Every structure is written in C-alpha cells, then in structure tokens.
Amino acid sequence: MSYRKKESQKKVLKRAMFPYHKRLHDFNFDFQPRIKKKEMQDLLTLRFLDTYDNILFIGNSGVGKTHLAVSIGLECIDRGLSCLFITSTELVNRLIRAHKRGTSETMLKKYSGYSVLIIDEVGYLPFSKEGSNLLFQLINMRYERKSTIVTTNIPLSQWSEIFGNKKLTNALLDRLVHHSKLIQITGPSYRMKSYSENKEVKS
C-alpha cells in the first residue's frame, strides 16, 4: 500500500471513531464458547448489507459485544464502505444539540447516510423524551435502507424503561428487529476475568 493510501486509510478510520481496532481473529471464542464462530465469520462477509439487515448484540457488560461490532465495522472500512461507531448517549446528545440549533434535519440525514451505523451501549443511561424521539426518527430513516448494529446490556423487553414511552419503543423495535440478526451473549465478563487474574497475581 502506498503512503498516500495509508494516510487516506488512517483518516477514514479516524472519522469512523472506533474505540479500538480489534478484529475477529483477536476475539477469544474459547472464553465465550456460546458464540458461534462460523456465524461471526458469516457476518464478516457483509452479506447482511444486501438485505439491509440489522445486528443486535445483547448481553451483560464486558462479554465482547463491542469487540464483535467493531470487527464488522473494520471490515466495512476495508471494503470501502462508510461506517460510524458512536455510543448511544453521544449520538442522542448530538441530535439534541442539533435540534436546539435548528439543524436536526441535516444531522439526521448525515447519520442516516452511513452504510453501517454502530450504536454502542444502548441502555446504560435512559433517554429524555426529546432524545428518544430523535433516535426513533433516525432508526426510521435507516429502516430497510441501511444496516444498523446495536450493542445493549438490556433485554429488548425492558427497552421501554430506557425510552420512557412504550408506544415509541415498540415502533422503534419493530423497525430494528424486522430485518435483524439477534445475537445473545450470556458468557462471563472479560473485564472481571482480567480483574480476577490481576488480583491473583498481586496476592
């Protein structure tokens, strides 16, 4: 790869805002044996983009949801597709700020245009009524047009507690789940594993 291409790739990766650049081959499937490696490898073919399917990673904190989402996002970048990684809180805050400036339509169009939008950590903090409405608008704009990847630590049955509106939550989930792959991760936490190992070393 030429210097110019390398610099261009760096800029693309920076704009995608990944928290780290971990690939699928870096994932410890032995630690999370319930995750099917073949299923994850199939997702890396990006065939789900052909039918605008969404992917929902559901599981407790530290089980590898973000790692898997990032690995798919990196593959999208490798294939020359547009991808953005953003936490749900940051996304909603940006949309609210744009709404207050009167530029929410422009902002929604921007986020609806990515080939893949990765929304991380849905459920860690509840959304305001305004934030919930704006996020719904975005999901609605992407519905059957683009693919969205979501990571969440909250079961879908409890999402109304996050959005504060059962009717809106049902409408949002209807659009997310209609064409989607739900991947439930019930294994142990990597972070707790590291913590335990460090504790043993120090003791």
Side-chain angles (χ1 to χ4, degrees):
M1 187 182 290
S2 68
Y3 174 78
R4 184 176 294 178
K5 282 187 176 180
K6 284 183 180 179
E7 289 303 303
S8 177
Q9 184 79 345
K10 283 181 183 179
K11 289 178 182 178
V12 170
L13 285 170
K14 188 175 181 180
R15 286 197 296 269
M17 302 200 316
F18 296 119
Y20 44 70
H21 296 163
K22 292 182 180 179
R23 301 282 181 163
L24 188 64
H25 59 72
D26 299 314
F27 192 84
N28 188 347
F29 286 94
D30 292 331
F31 189 68
Q32 300 291 16
R34 294 186 183 182
I35 299 177
K36 298 176 182 177
K37 189 174 183 178
K38 285 186 177 180
E39 184 178 10
M40 295 302 104
Q41 290 172 332
D42 183 66
L43 291 179
L44 285 190
T45 66
L46 305 185
R47 287 186 294 187
F48 69 93
L49 298 180
D50 297 335
T51 47
Y52 309 116
D53 286 355
N54 302 316
I55 302 173
L56 279 70
F57 290 105
I58 307 166
N60 293 330
S61 177
V63 295
K65 304 183 300 297
T66 299
H67 182 156
L68 293 171
V70 166
S71 69
I72 296 170
L74 288 169
E75 187 66 26
C76 291
I77 296 295
D78 288 347
R79 306 273 191 97
L81 299 170
S82 59
C83 178
L84 179 73
F85 178 100
I86 189 167
T87 65
S88 62
T89 301
E90 178 63 20
L91 175 60
V92 167
N93 286 341
R94 288 186 181 192
L95 291 173
I96 289 174
R97 288 196 296 268
H99 182 68
K100 289 177 179 177
R101 293 194 302 265
T103 59
S104 59
E105 186 176 340
T106 301
M107 188 69 78
L108 285 166
K109 283 182 179 178
K110 173 186 174 181
Y111 289 126
S112 66
Y114 287 97
S115 298
V116 174
L117 178 65
I118 302 175
I119 306 176
D120 194 41
E121 298 183 344
V122 173
Y124 283 81
L125 292 172
F127 302 127
S128 64
K129 181 180 179 181
E130 183 183 30
S132 296
N133 287 332
L134 288 165
L135 185 56
F136 170 75
Q137 287 181 53
L138 175 59
I139 296 300
N140 189 48
M141 289 171 73
R142 294 183 61 82
Y143 176 57
E144 295 190 323
R145 295 182 182 90
K146 303 288 182 180
S147 292
T148 303
I149 299 176
V150 172
T151 75
T152 180
N153 65 328
I154 302 293
L156 302 186
S157 60
Q158 297 176 21
W159 270 31
S160 59
E161 297 173 16
I162 307 167
F163 292 92
N165 183 317
K166 200 166 187 177
K167 191 173 181 180
L168 180 142
T169 303
N170 289 338
L172 184 144
L173 283 174
D174 182 59
R175 286 155 178 78
L176 269 182
V177 177
H178 182 211
H179 299 289
S180 71
K181 300 182 186 299
L182 273 62
I183 299 169
Q184 187 85 39
I185 306 175
T186 57
S189 167
Y190 284 103
R191 285 189 283 271
M192 289 305 295
K193 176 178 179 286
S194 298
Y195 171 76
S196 298
E197 288 174 349
N198 289 335
K199 195 174 181 181
E200 287 175 8
V201 169
K202 288 178 182 178
S203 60

